[in-house]
Amino acid sequence: MTRNELVEILSEQPFKPLVLHMSNGRTHEIRHPENAIVADNHVALLAIRDGEEVIRIISLPHVTESEPAPSAPG
């Protein structure tokens, strides 16, 4: 995925949460566009892991696919 492709997806109105699939099989969910800071070849994502906020830095060339995130329960 390129920087421009991700920026375009994050700019869509209304925003739809998405899941990024990585070449190593991992996935990263983006629930809000402000939780992603996109650079030329990387993106910093704010994520919640075990109740803690963490920053994940991922390489955009290793994003193989994006798809809509499953709906949140409730």
Side-chain angles (χ1 to χ4, degrees), residues 58-71:
I58 63 171
S59 175
L60 287 172
H62 288 281
V63 176
T64 60
E65 178 184 12
S66 68
E67 68 176 343
S71 298

Side-chain angles (χ1 to χ4, degrees), residues 35-57:
N35 290 352
I37 299 172
V38 184
D40 288 338
N41 292 306
H42 294 84
V43 60
L45 299 175
L46 176 65
I48 306 296
R49 296 281 188 244
D50 300 323
E52 301 270 332
E53 288 183 346
V54 296
I55 302 290
R56 298 282 188 230
I57 308 295

Side-chain angles (χ1 to χ4, degrees), residues 14-39:
F15 175 76
K16 297 176 186 100
L18 65 138
V19 175
L20 300 178
H21 294 266
M22 307 300 296
S23 59
N24 65 1
R26 293 183 74 179
T27 59
H28 299 281
E29 194 170 308
I30 303 175
R31 286 270 164 209
H32 302 284
E34 60 271 13
N35 290 352
I37 299 172
V38 184

